[in-house]
Each structure stands twice: as structure tokens, then as C-alpha cells.
Amino acid sequence: MARSGTPGEGTRPRVRHAGQLGWDDGLYEEGSESSTDSGTGERGAASGESGHRRGGSKRRGKKGKHRVLRWSASVLALLIIGGAGAGYLYIEHLNGNLKKADLTLGDKKMADHKANAAGQTPMNILLIGSDARDSAENQKLGGAKETFGAPPLADVQMLVHLSADRSNMSVISMPRDTMLKIPKCTNPETKHVYPAPTGLKMTNETLERGGPGCTVATWYELTGITIDHFMMIDFSGVISMADAIGGVPVCVKGNVYSHTSAGKGSGLKLEKGTTKIKGKQALQWLRTRYGFEDGTDLGRTHAQHMYMNSMVRELRKGTKLTDPGKLMDLAEAATDALTVDKGENGLGSVNKLYDLAEELKKVPTKRITMTTMPNVYGTGALKERVLPKPGDADQLFQMVRDDIPLDGKASKRKKKAPVAEKPTSTPAETPVTVRNGTRTETEYPAKGRATAVKDLLAEKGFTQGSIDAQNTESAARTTVSYPSVDMKGNAQALAKALGIPLSAVKKSTAVSGITLTVGADWREDGPYHAPSAEEKTPDSARALNGDDEKACMDIQPGFGF
């Protein structure tokens, strides 16, 4: 499958902006595909409840889940192919299908994972959905002819977190219209440098700034979550995968026809109840916005989560994947549609994907949790865009960083509690650098916080404090960093003096001495108050369990038949 060239190289016949049509439902200006014979499958009884509705102005944002589904299908399909004993030459052929790119294009080095008490580490995979219309098949499926050949956008972004003990898996989807800061990215092949843009930009613009590695760097900048791999896919391959699986059961609470008088909509037409969809109809489900819930991308995101969970359940059954021809078709579609991270530790071979699938397979569906990054609508010029929701988004990211299951159940092994070390010097002999990291996506840094905390440290006996005014990086939570083991006890003593938990004291090669970063959780004067120890996924993340077979989509008024 061909791909769009690297942004900045050559001349583009057309230029598209991040807010324009991408993975939005339907074929846009060509109108919806109203035929109902595109993969219509078995009918079933109406079932279940769906999550709450969310109001607000319509926007094109959360295209996220479509691709994720394909990624899961891709990995699991490769698992099945490998288990069937595919020949060496065929495996090499599939390896040749895979496209590869650098994991990260940012300047910031991602932190190493912290092992649990058993020495296990988690794994984080960023799933990226490109809206590239760079092939005949992508153009046919994607519509929007005016964007053919334009730089691709990362319209779908989902972070998959596989717990250290492999007992659970969490997924966080980020709406494509999320406004955030994009770091400087350098294309490793052309050496072209994309400076960090001024102000906030849409997250889907990251892909055109050098490739998927810039999307990875942006996620790390926002969340602090170490990302081990990425998998990127475009429009192609979805129909083949859905057909090979044999169909995926989905449910709607009423008859639905995604079609507007202006010719927009996915063309999805389903009767009330449960239908097993495949082929083009599966693609329509994944792209439907008009007709689901309140007509925004939030509803579409939820529908995609339902599809993904249902698809995983079908793949786990394995009853439909018995035809060798379909398995080969699925493997071809999966590998041909994927771009993965390269390098010795990357996913650039079928064997690596097989190993990944083996790890994913360890998680029972009842321990899979789909969520959407908590978000709020912007104001003024950003009224149709979203921002990470203060507090809730940080809490979700922190839970993933700390390897806390989003389904509310305890992991099989408890995390190893930090061990207090003996200080090697007195507070008065301990130099401390203080940074103001209180900036958030919606608020400027709290003025004077570094100075105030430096004075507070002096009251506690740490009189050798200094302020690092040059470092303006934001931090969701207050942390104490130290560069070498001999400073650990001193760093812990400082944290204890301020009431900062020992879990917030971390070794880091990015600092030259003990460094206290005042986070967004300490914007106000006064003593530090540690965040609640409650390990609960925010309601605003709209969690959906992988075993929920009763999940059923609400239908938007005016889109029935």
C-alpha cells in the first residue's frame, strides 16, 4: 500500500487542514452509501443498555476507535496465522508488507518503566489511525476527493496499556480535535526540523509533522506515559478483516439510518436489535456519527468501543477463522495496512507481532476496559474543540503510569512499596533546585510558586534552595527527582518534610541534582496535600468493559426509519 510522502518534501497538489473531513462518517460530499446489502448479517434480539448521552455542539472529533479495531484484528489474525504454522517464505512475504518508522521523533527521552514486585513491567502501544487517501482503495473508502494526496492526519489515537502482570488491559482514546502542545519533531530521514508550534494545535496534526513518531512524542509530552510501540493503519484492510472474522455482533436500540438531507452520513442502515455486521457495513458502523446518540463524535467513539470489544470476543471464540484462504486474506490485509515502529525492539516482523499477540491473549475480555480521555469543550475560537479535562484527565493518565487497572479490580500482584533510604547529609547541606511546573493545558503557570515553595523548604531546614526559571515544562503532579542512588535518601527526606509521598520520588538522568518540580496539584499557597489515594477511573472517561455483551447504542432522534 502506498503512503503519502513525508511532510515538507515536494509539492502537494492539495492542502488540508486538521479540522477538515477525515475519518468522519460517510463519503461526505458524495453522500452516504444507502445500500443495506453491504455485508448485512444475522439478526438477533434487541439488547442491553448503553452509556449516558452527552450534549453539546456537534463536532468531528473522536474518530478514534475505528482503527483500533483493526489493529486488534491485525495482531490477533497474525497470532492465528502463526499458530497455523505458516511457511517461512510466506512469513517473509508478510514481513515485507509491513512498513516501518521511528518510534519517537521528539527530543525528550522517554523514562524507563518501573518494575513491580515480581520484576514485571507494563507495555504501552499507541494505535494511530491515518486518514491518508493515497491509494485507489483508500480514496474509494475515504471519499472527500478534494483531500486526495494531502498530508495524512492522525485522526484516530488510542493508547493500549497492558499491565505488568498481564492481568488487565486499558485503552484510552484521544479525540482527534483535542487541542494541546506539540513538541519539536525531527524527521530522521530528511532531517527536516518541525519546530514546536506556538500555542495549542489539534492533536491530529502531529502525523504530518514527520510521521507517527511525532504523534508518540506528543502523547508522551502530554501524559508522561512511556510508549513502547506504535501501530498505524489507514482505511484499507478493514473490510477484508471484518469478512475474515465472519462478522461482528452490534446492537442498536432502534432502527437507524445514518443519512442527512445534505447527503452526509455513513449510510449505515440497521433495524432495532442485534445484527452481525461485516464488510462495508462494518466500516459504516465505525464511521457513523450522524444517527448515534447526540450526533457528536463522542457517540461514535462509544460505538467503536462496542465494536472493538465485540470483535475481540468473536476472535477469542475462533469459530469463524477456520478457512485457510480467509486467514491468508486477513494476514495480507493486516500486514499490508500496518506501519509499525522499527529497530531491534520494534514490531517490524510477523514474529514480533505474534509475540505481542501472545501477550495480549493473556488478558481475559472481562479485564479489558475502553475509555475516552476526559475532555471539556473550549471557548471562543476553540468552542468546537476539546481540551483535556483538568483533574480527570490527569487522574486517568496517572493511573496508567502507576499501572492501576481501570476496571477497579486489583492486580494479581501488589506494587512494591518504596523503601525509605537513610539520608547522607543534613537538610542544610542538601542543595535543591525548584521548578514551577504548574502550567496546564487550560491555565498559565501559577505565578511565584517556585519562590513560595523554596521559602517553604527553607522553613523546613533546606536552606540551599535555588530556582530553575529556564525550565517551564508542566507536570500534573509534584515530584522529587534525583540523578544517582547516593542522593535517594536525601530526596526522600525532602519529600517527607513537605508531605510528598515517597512514590513521587524518582530517579532521573534528566536532572543533575535533587530537583523539586511543583506540579499542577500544588498551584495554591500552603502545605502540599497529596492527591486522594482512591484508585477510581473518572466517570467522565465513560469506561466500557470488554465482557459487556448488553452494550447497545442509543439512536439520535430523526435518524430512524
Side-chain angles (χ1 to χ4, degrees):
M1 180 192 310
R3 286 187 294 167
S4 295
T6 302
E9 295 182 355
T11 302
R12 292 289 180 185
R14 295 177 177 84
V15 176
R16 180 160 48 93
H17 299 291
Q20 291 180 325
L21 301 175
W23 261 86
D24 251 323
D25 51 3
L27 302 184
Y28 308 111
E29 78 293 336
E30 294 182 356
S32 62
E33 299 186 6
S34 57
S35 62
T36 59
D37 59 352
S38 53
T40 304
E42 302 131 34
R43 296 288 308 159
S47 63
E49 308 158 358
S50 71
H52 63 278
R53 295 173 183 250
R54 173 172 172 178
S57 61
K58 294 182 179 180
R59 71 183 202 281
R60 318 178 190 94
K62 309 202 166 177
K63 314 190 159 189
K65 307 12 186 263
H66 326 219
R67 281 91 180 251
V68 181
L69 317 180
R70 302 151 208 191
W71 294 312
S72 296
S74 304
V75 172
L76 292 173
L78 290 168
L79 168 63
I80 295 167
I81 287 289
Y88 172 78
L89 292 179
Y90 186 62
I91 293 295
E92 287 301 296
H93 164 70
L94 295 178
N95 285 340
N97 286 346
L98 290 168
K99 294 168 285 293
K100 308 170 190 69
D102 285 289
L103 175 62
T104 178
L105 302 180
D107 290 339
K108 185 179 292 186
K109 184 180 184 298
M110 288 190 283
D112 293 331
H113 286 299
K114 294 191 69 174
N116 63 11
Q120 303 164 312
T121 55
M123 182 187 299
N124 298 312
I125 308 156
L126 186 62
L127 308 178
I128 305 170
S130 162
D131 74 344
R133 293 176 172 85
D134 51 5
S135 68
E137 186 65 17
N138 279 335
Q139 293 171 6
K140 178 182 177 182
L141 295 172
K145 291 181 178 179
E146 75 279 1
T147 67
F148 289 0
L153 300 172
D155 272 356
V156 178
Q157 300 175 33
M158 301 176 76
L159 181 72
V160 176
H161 172 77
L162 187 61
S163 68
D165 62 7
R166 304 305 190 250
S167 68
N168 64 90
M169 185 168 70
S170 304
V171 178
I172 300 177
S173 299
M174 184 185 293
R176 74 151 196 171
D177 56 352
T178 299
M179 304 299 293
L180 41 66
K181 290 186 178 297
I182 299 177
K184 181 182 78 171
C185 294
T186 302
N187 187 302
E189 296 179 2
T190 66
K191 307 304 179 184
H192 181 81
V193 176
Y194 297 86
T198 302
L200 303 179
K201 297 293 183 180
M202 278 181 62
T203 183
N204 68 345
E205 293 183 30
T206 56
L207 189 58
E208 62 182 2
R209 299 176 64 81
C214 192
T215 307
V216 170
T218 303
W219 266 81
Y220 184 68
E221 187 86 9
L222 173 68
T223 68
I225 297 171
T226 296
I227 297 172
D228 303 283
H229 304 290
F230 73 78
M231 299 172 73
M232 183 173 73
I233 197 167
D234 52 26
F235 292 126
S236 299
V238 182
I239 292 177
S240 297
M241 292 178 193
D243 285 344
I245 294 169
V248 174
V250 295
C251 176
V252 289
K253 290 187 175 181
N255 295 347
V256 62
Y257 181 27
S258 179
H259 180 77
T260 71
S261 58
K264 293 185 177 182
S266 70
L268 180 71
K269 193 171 187 180
L270 292 177
E271 295 179 5
K272 176 181 178 180
T274 299
T275 304
K276 183 168 283 190
I277 59 175
K278 57 183 179 179
K280 188 176 294 184
Q281 199 172 38
L283 181 61
Q284 289 173 336
W285 173 278
L286 297 173
R287 303 181 71 181
T288 293
R289 172 162 62 99
Y290 299 111
F292 284 161
E293 298 191 343
D294 61 358
T296 69
D297 285 318
L298 296 174
R300 173 167 53 199
T301 294
H302 198 57
Q304 293 164 353
H305 284 165
M306 289 183 187
Y307 182 97
M308 185 172 181
N309 282 338
S310 183
M311 183 194 66
V312 171
R313 292 193 296 267
E314 290 297 299
L315 284 167
R316 291 288 173 88
K317 293 175 184 177
T319 55
K320 300 295 182 181
L321 292 174
T322 56
D323 184 332
K326 286 187 176 181
L327 283 173
M328 292 180 70
D329 288 344
L330 182 56
E332 289 284 351
T335 54
D336 194 53
L338 283 174
T339 301
V340 297
D341 56 298
K342 64 182 180 181
E344 182 179 354
N345 298 319
L347 294 176
S349 72
V350 171
N351 287 337
K352 293 288 186 68
L353 291 171
Y354 178 89
D355 291 341
L356 173 60
E358 285 285 275
E359 294 297 294
L360 295 173
K361 195 173 71 170
K362 295 176 183 178
V363 180
T365 55
K366 65 182 179 181
R367 298 301 310 278
I368 298 174
T369 306
M370 304 281 175
T371 65
T372 299
M373 181 196 75
N375 57 84
V376 293
Y377 284 102
T379 58
L382 302 180
K383 65 180 180 180
E384 292 190 357
R385 306 299 183 213
V386 297
L387 301 165
K389 185 176 182 179
D392 283 9
D394 292 336
Q395 181 177 344
L396 196 66
F397 299 151
Q398 184 72 40
M399 290 178 72
V400 171
R401 287 198 299 269
D402 292 343
D403 198 26
I404 298 171
L406 298 188
D407 60 5
K409 300 177 183 178
S411 294
K412 293 178 181 178
R413 293 184 173 90
K414 293 183 178 179
K415 291 176 60 180
K416 186 177 181 180
V419 177
E421 303 284 346
K422 185 177 180 180
T424 57
S425 62
T426 66
E429 299 171 324
T430 304
V432 180
T433 299
V434 183
R435 294 174 175 174
N436 185 348
T438 58
R439 175 178 58 81
T440 71
E441 293 296 331
T442 57
E443 299 173 296
Y444 290 108
K447 189 175 181 180
R449 288 304 297 139
T451 300
V453 173
K454 173 178 171 292
D455 293 342
L456 184 58
L457 277 172
E459 294 176 11
K460 302 291 184 180
F462 292 86
T463 54
Q464 291 194 48
S466 61
I467 296 174
D468 181 3
Q470 301 302 313
N471 191 297
T472 58
E473 293 183 1
S474 61
R477 293 193 178 183
T478 299
T479 60
V480 179
S481 304
Y482 60 95
S484 56
V485 176
D486 61 302
M487 295 186 184
K488 182 176 181 180
N490 299 338
Q492 289 180 329
L494 182 151
K496 184 177 180 181
L498 295 177
I500 298 171
L502 292 185
S503 60
V505 180
K506 304 179 185 296
K507 184 172 181 285
S508 172
T509 57
V511 296
S512 58
I514 295 177
T515 302
L516 170 61
T517 301
V518 184
D521 58 346
W522 200 8
R523 291 178 59 88
E524 305 296 330
D525 289 335
Y528 178 77
H529 296 287
S532 172
E534 181 183 20
E535 297 176 350
K536 180 180 181 299
T537 301
D539 292 338
S540 55
R542 201 176 183 186
L544 183 66
N545 184 269
D547 244 10
D548 187 358
E549 296 187 29
K550 294 183 178 180
C552 200
M553 285 302 298
D554 282 310
I555 303 307
Q556 184 181 9
F559 286 86
F561 65 90

